[in-house]
Amino acid sequence: HFSPLPPAPEGPLATNSVLASFEDITALESAEAMRRDFVANVSHELRTPLTALMGFIETLRSSARDDAAARDRFLSIMEREAARMNRLVGDLLSLSRVEGEERMRPTGKVDLALVLKGITQTLEPVAEAAQVKLISEGEAGALPVQGDPDQLTQVFSNLVENAIKYGGQGGEVRLRVSLIPHEPVLRGKAYRVDVIDRGEGIDEQHLPRLTERFYRVDTHRSREKGGTGLGLAIVKHIVARHRGRFRVDSKKGEGSCFTVILPAA
Ligand code: ADP
C-alpha cells in the first residue's frame, strides 16, 4: 500500500483523483482479503467434520469391525458429524441467498405475532429438554410487518435457540414484544422484540464482532452445541433486508438481550 504515488499532476482536482483511486484499491484489496478469509474459514469448518468422518470410516473398517457396541457408538458420532456438515451447508446457502437479496425489500405481509407463536411452539420441547422456561410477554394482538415469513422465522428461531443454548443455565428465556409508536431511526411505528436470557452473558469486547461470520466467543462450546458460527450473521442480514434494527446488550454474569426492531406495516 505504500508504493510511491505517481507525481501529482497540477491543480486540486487532479490531486483528488489520485487520492480517490488509491482508496479504491485499498477497498478492493480488503474485500478480496475478506473473501479469502471466508473461503479459508468455510474450508476449515467443513474439513473438521469430514476428517472425523473419514477417521471413523477407517476405524469401522478395521478395529471396530467385530465389536457391535463400538460400531453403534461410532455410527452415532458419524451421524452427528454429517448433521453438522448439513447444517453448515444449509446456513451457508441461507447467508448467500439473503446477502444477494439485501437490496430487495421483501414485499409480503406477515403477522409477526404468528411468527413468534410458531417459534415458541416449535422450540418448547427444546427448551424443556434444556430445563428452560420459555416465556412470551407483551403485546398480544396482531403485529403486521412487511416481510418474508420464512426469513423472519429464521431470525427469531436463531435468537431463541441461542438463548436456550448459551443462556439456558439461567433457567428462563423471555420473548418480549412491545410497540414503539415512533421509532426515531426508522422514523415511524415499529415493533420491538427482545430475546432475553439470564445466562452467563457475553464479555463486552465480543459484542461488536458477534455478527461476523464464524465469530464465536468460545469455539469449542459452540461446536459442542452444534453451532455453525453463522446464526447471527444471518440474523443481521435478514434484519437489514427488512429495513429493521438489530442490537445486542449483555452483561457478563447477568445475561443477554438480543433486540430486533422492525417497521410496522
Ligand atoms: P453459533 O452457531 O456458534 O451459535 P451464532 O452466530 O449464532 O453462532 O452466535 C455467535 C456466538 O455468539 C456464539 O458462538 C456464542 O458464543 C455467542 N452467543 C450467541 N447468543 C448468545 C447468548 N444468548 N448468550 C451468550 N452467548 C451467545
Side-chain angles (χ1 to χ4, degrees), residues 5 13-26:
L5 289 172
L13 265 180
T15 310
N16 275 344
S17 79
V18 169
L19 267 179
S21 73
F22 175 73
E23 285 179 9
D24 285 348
I25 289 167
T26 311

Side-chain angles (χ1 to χ4, degrees), residues 5-79:
L5 289 172
E10 277 164 43
L13 265 180
T15 310
N16 275 344
S17 79
V18 169
L19 267 179
S21 73
F22 175 73
E23 285 179 9
D24 285 348
I25 289 167
T26 311
L28 269 179
E29 279 177 357
S30 87
E32 178 56 23
M34 270 172 71
R35 196 193 60 80
R36 266 200 310 269
D37 271 3
F38 181 61
V39 171
N41 278 329
V42 169
S43 310
H44 175 75
E45 297 287 337
L46 282 170
R47 185 168 274 168
T48 309
L50 204 51
T51 306
L53 280 172
M54 285 161 69
F56 283 112
I57 289 172
E58 198 50 46
T59 316
L60 280 179
R61 187 172 272 147
S62 50
S63 56
R65 217 167 154 161
D66 308 313
D67 182 343
R71 216 167 45 219
D72 277 354
R73 207 172 61 242
F74 293 153
L75 283 171
S76 303
I77 302 174
M78 289 170 74
E79 200 170 21

Side-chain angles (χ1 to χ4, degrees), residues 22 158 260:
F22 175 73
N158 284 357
V260 173

Side-chain angles (χ1 to χ4, degrees), residues 79-222:
E79 200 170 21
R80 203 180 63 214
E81 295 300 320
R84 172 201 298 290
M85 286 183 76
N86 196 30
R87 261 197 315 275
L88 182 60
V89 171
D91 277 358
L92 283 168
L93 283 172
S94 295
L95 189 59
S96 121
R97 197 173 309 131
V98 67
E99 272 183 336
E101 292 170 344
E102 199 155 312
R103 284 163 196 276
M104 288 174 286
R105 188 173 177 188
T107 52
K109 208 158 182 204
V110 184
D111 181 357
L112 196 57
L114 288 183
V115 168
L116 297 175
K117 197 170 162 202
I119 287 163
T120 44
Q121 276 168 356
T122 311
L123 293 179
E124 191 58 64
V126 180
E128 211 177 295
Q131 294 179 308
V132 173
K133 212 164 141 205
L134 200 52
I135 303 160
S136 297
E137 57 189 28
E139 295 291 322
L143 310 165
V145 297
Q146 182 182 330
D148 176 313
D150 292 338
Q151 290 190 343
L152 291 176
T153 300
Q154 192 166 15
V155 164
F156 296 105
S157 314
N158 284 357
L159 296 179
V160 175
E161 270 172 339
N162 276 353
I164 297 170
K165 267 195 307 200
Y166 302 109
Q169 69 278 41
E172 61 170 54
V173 168
R174 271 170 208 275
L175 206 57
R176 180 180 296 158
V177 183
S178 45
L179 172 74
I180 310 176
H182 188 87
E183 210 286 332
V185 177
L186 303 180
R187 294 161 185 251
K189 185 176 160 187
Y191 301 120
R192 170 178 175 146
V193 183
D194 295 303
V195 180
I196 306 159
D197 68 64
R198 309 227 168 279
E200 66 200 34
I202 304 162
D203 208 66
E204 196 181 339
Q205 75 192 67
H206 298 291
L207 294 183
R209 300 196 60 191
L210 284 188
T211 57
E212 284 176 23
R213 302 144 162 187
F214 298 119
Y215 189 85
R216 290 130 158 160
V217 174
D218 178 343
T219 305
H220 177 74
R221 180 120 183 273
S222 156

